[in-house]
Amino acid sequence: MTSLRIVSSDCSMIRLDRLEYHVREELNKTAPRVLVVLHPLKVVITNLESSSVMELDAKKWPDAQADDTSAFYKVPFSNVVYIERSDFRIKDSKDYYGLAPGKSVLLRYAFPIKCTDVILGDDNETVIEIRAEYDPSKKSKPKGVLHWVAEPYPGADPLKVEVRLFEKLFNSENPTELDNWFVDLNLDSKLVIPAAYAVPALRNAAVGDTFQFERLGYFTADKDSTAEKLVFNRTVTLKDTYCKGGK
C-alpha cells in the first residue's frame, strides 16, 4: 500500500506516515502500557493449582524503577491464561519465537511456560486449547516473549473489550487525483474485534484515555464505551515506516 498524504491548514501535503511517526513519538512518552489479547487462545497450566491466583507486577512504562510503585500495575496470573492465536504454531521453525509443541516462551512479567500438549477440534486441525507447564524458578531463558491475559479467578473470563482496528481509508497516495475515488476505498480500513481479553487494570478506563497495548499499538477509549463494555480504537500501530524511509 502506498503512503497517503493529508492536507494541512496551509494547503500543503503531509505524508501520513510522517504524521503517524510524530503521533507515535508522543504516545510512547504519555500512554501507559497494558496487556490485551485480541484473538485469545486458551492455555491451561497443568502444574499450577486451579485455585491459585498470583498478583504480579507489570510495568506501565519501559523504564519503570523498582522503587516507584506508581509505575506498575497488578495483573492476575492463574492456571488459565490466554495468548494471541497467532503466537502458536503446530510446526516450529528456527526463526519463530512463539509457542510450539515442546517449546518454551516467556510470558511477559510472569514465568516461562513450555507447551506439553495440544487439543485439536473435530476437524483435527483447529487448535482449541494448549496444555503447558510453567517454570516457577524462572531458570529457563526462552527467546520468545509473549503478551497474555489470565483468568482473574477460577472459572471467570478475563475482562472483555471491543477493539476497533483502523487502517488507511484509501489505497492510493492522493485519491483526489483519481477520476473515481470511490473505487480506491480500502474495504479493510476498519476491523471490529468484539471480544478481546484485557487485564483488570483497564476496567476503569475513561473516554479519551490512551494506552499502549503491548506488541499491538496505541489505543484510545471510545465514546461508545459503556459500563458493560469498553470500546478502544487503534490510533496508530507500533510499526514505524517513516523513520526507516528517512525524515
Side-chain angles (χ1 to χ4, degrees), residues 36-38 161-166 191-197 213 216 219 229-234:
V36 175
V37 172
L38 300 184
V161 298
E162 179 177 304
V163 177
R164 299 168 179 173
L165 304 179
F166 291 96
L191 173 65
V192 177
I193 301 172
Y197 280 165
F213 292 180
L216 299 174
F219 294 78
K229 192 172 191 178
L230 291 168
V231 178
F232 292 92
N233 298 329
R234 184 171 66 189

Side-chain angles (χ1 to χ4, degrees), residues 71-87:
F72 295 83
Y73 67 96
K74 296 292 184 180
V75 292
F77 180 78
S78 63
N79 82 313
V80 177
V81 302
Y82 294 87
I83 64 172
E84 291 288 353
R85 184 165 291 274
S86 59
D87 281 333

Side-chain angles (χ1 to χ4, degrees), residues 69-141:
T69 57
S70 67
F72 295 83
Y73 67 96
K74 296 292 184 180
V75 292
F77 180 78
S78 63
N79 82 313
V80 177
V81 302
Y82 294 87
I83 64 172
E84 291 288 353
R85 184 165 291 274
S86 59
D87 281 333
F88 178 81
R89 289 183 186 175
I90 291 291
K91 294 183 179 180
D92 195 12
S93 60
K94 291 183 179 179
D95 58 349
Y96 178 63
Y97 294 99
L99 191 61
K103 186 177 181 179
S104 296
V105 296
L106 176 64
L107 297 181
R108 191 162 178 80
Y109 309 122
F111 304 93
I113 62 169
K114 181 178 181 179
C115 176
T116 57
D117 197 9
V118 181
I119 310 301
L120 300 177
D122 294 336
D123 60 2
N124 207 35
E125 292 183 0
T126 304
V127 178
I128 302 299
E129 183 179 299
I130 303 299
R131 301 288 171 85
E133 293 182 353
Y134 88 116
D135 175 13
S137 69
K138 300 185 179 181
K139 289 182 179 179
S140 58
K141 304 293 182 183

Side-chain angles (χ1 to χ4, degrees), residues 117-218:
D117 197 9
V118 181
I119 310 301
L120 300 177
D122 294 336
D123 60 2
N124 207 35
E125 292 183 0
T126 304
V127 178
I128 302 299
E129 183 179 299
I130 303 299
R131 301 288 171 85
E133 293 182 353
Y134 88 116
D135 175 13
S137 69
K138 300 185 179 181
K139 289 182 179 179
S140 58
K141 304 293 182 183
K143 293 182 179 180
V145 181
L146 306 184
H147 63 287
W148 55 279
V149 173
E151 287 187 350
Y153 51 88
D157 286 338
L159 175 67
K160 289 183 181 180
V161 298
E162 179 177 304
V163 177
R164 299 168 179 173
L165 304 179
F166 291 96
E167 295 288 350
K168 297 176 179 66
L169 183 59
F170 294 97
N171 290 311
S172 66
E173 184 174 346
N174 187 359
T176 60
E177 296 177 345
L178 302 175
D179 293 332
N180 183 3
W181 58 264
F182 185 77
V183 298
D184 193 51
L185 285 170
N186 175 16
L187 300 181
D188 298 319
S189 62
K190 179 182 179 182
L191 173 65
V192 177
I193 301 172
Y197 280 165
V199 290
L202 265 187
R203 189 179 301 277
N204 296 322
V207 172
D209 285 352
T210 300
F211 303 88
Q212 184 196 108
F213 292 180
E214 294 206 39
R215 297 180 67 217
L216 299 174
Y218 294 98

